[in-house]
Amino acid sequence: MAEEKANLYKLFWENSKLNSSNIKEFSKSLEEFYMKESYASRLQYATDDLFLKKPRDGLMHYMEQRRSIRAFSEKPVSGKLLGALMSAFIETGGGHRTYASGGARFPVEIFCFMNNVEGSLNRKITYYNCDNHSLSIVGDLPVWTAYKDYLCFDAEHGMPSLLFIFAILPERMTDKYGERGGRFALIEVGHAVQNLALRIAKESMAGVELGGLFDDKMKAMLKLDGTTAQIVLGYAVGHIPKK
């Protein structure tokens, strides 16, 4: 019944997957786009602009500091800092989390590849438990060069110390909302990722979203084969290299 309620969402997901077979076509399309001078125009209305007072608080500061940075230093991430980054997704009590979820269905699941961290978690694939702010080990992490091609990402310098992977279990939404639930699930990923982006800015770290992940390769690494999980987004994180 769940699939019948959201067949079009499932079709959209299958048609938008990336893999080794269609990545060349996808890359060619991007190259053709960049060869054209294309600028997104803003909406304009024939009325006067009504100017607003801009806040100068701490939240505004971190919103302004958010950047997409593709260069990373070799400095490992400490356990304390790892805890701070993961707190972007923590359960705050009473079934609430730090980001909104339609109908409190919470389809988002968050994983992290530990490329360069202090302690026993180094070179591990982990899953974040939001209820008690802990990590579960999914398995061993291959060296960066063995899987970076599955990310469609070239760092300008170094490698990210952490790679966050945002997955969803869509039926948590589509069982209740049908096709519309697929949209709600993707919106929720955006909420969670923005939390992480602001925390990265707060910690003066580097980070960049990765939207070109190979879906099936990532599912296999996360041991999600045979499940309904869908890989939505990656986020590479590390320390900013010294100039």
Side-chain angles (χ1 to χ4, degrees):
M1 181 62 70
E3 288 189 4
E4 293 176 2
K5 292 174 65 176
N7 276 336
L8 294 180
Y9 168 75
K10 184 178 180 182
L11 178 62
F12 148 74
W13 196 265
E14 288 299 317
N15 287 340
S16 59
K17 275 187 175 181
L18 284 179
N19 52 48
S20 57
S21 299
N22 62 17
I23 187 60
K24 289 184 178 180
E25 181 180 350
F26 180 72
S27 299
K28 180 181 178 182
S29 177
L30 287 178
E31 290 173 2
E32 292 173 349
F33 175 83
Y34 290 133
M35 289 177 64
K36 299 182 294 186
E37 290 190 11
S38 177
Y39 301 95
S41 60
R42 296 184 178 182
L43 293 176
Q44 293 184 330
Y45 293 90
T47 57
D48 292 336
D49 293 338
L50 305 175
F51 294 99
L52 305 171
K53 184 175 179 60
K54 181 180 176 182
R56 300 306 310 171
D57 56 17
L59 178 59
M60 190 70 228
H61 170 73
Y62 297 127
M63 292 171 69
E64 290 177 335
Q65 292 301 307
R66 191 215 63 77
R67 296 286 187 276
S68 293
I69 301 174
R70 294 171 173 267
F72 308 95
S73 78
E74 296 180 359
K75 181 180 178 180
V77 171
S78 68
K80 181 179 179 180
L81 185 52
L82 183 60
L85 294 174
M86 290 295 179
S87 71
F89 323 115
I90 198 170
E91 186 174 303
T92 56
H96 298 287
R97 300 188 193 178
T98 54
Y99 53 89
S101 178
R105 299 292 293 168
F106 296 109
V108 179
E109 299 289 0
I110 299 164
F111 300 82
C112 191
F113 291 6
M114 308 289 183
N115 285 315
N116 186 18
V117 301
E118 295 177 353
S120 60
L121 286 176
N122 194 44
R123 298 280 302 281
K124 298 293 184 182
I125 299 173
T126 61
Y127 166 74
Y128 178 62
N129 302 296
C130 66
D131 57 343
N132 62 4
H133 193 48
S134 69
L135 294 169
S136 296
I137 294 177
V138 176
D140 294 328
L141 179 66
V143 295
W144 170 248
T145 53
Y147 74 90
K148 72 181 185 70
D149 288 345
Y150 304 154
L151 312 176
C152 299
F153 168 68
D154 288 320
E156 295 174 357
H157 177 83
M159 71 173 182
S161 294
L162 305 172
L163 176 64
F164 288 84
I165 304 292
F166 295 84
I168 59 172
L169 293 171
E171 69 276 7
R172 293 180 185 172
M173 283 296 192
T174 55
D175 280 0
K176 181 175 182 178
Y177 298 109
E179 301 288 0
R180 191 77 176 184
R183 185 186 301 202
F184 293 164
L186 298 179
I187 290 171
E188 185 174 323
V189 172
H191 288 317
V193 170
Q194 181 68 348
N195 278 10
L196 177 60
L198 293 178
R199 175 51 78 172
I200 290 169
K202 168 72 167 59
E203 303 298 342
S204 300
M205 298 182 75
V208 62
E209 291 183 9
L210 307 182
L213 309 183
F214 283 19
D215 301 60
D216 294 338
K217 293 291 187 180
M218 289 292 104
K219 282 189 68 170
M221 291 184 70
L222 297 174
K223 298 184 179 178
L224 292 173
D225 284 339
T227 73
T228 60
Q230 296 171 336
I231 307 300
V232 179
L233 192 67
Y235 209 113
V237 181
H239 290 285
I240 298 175
K242 294 181 180 180
K243 295 182 179 179

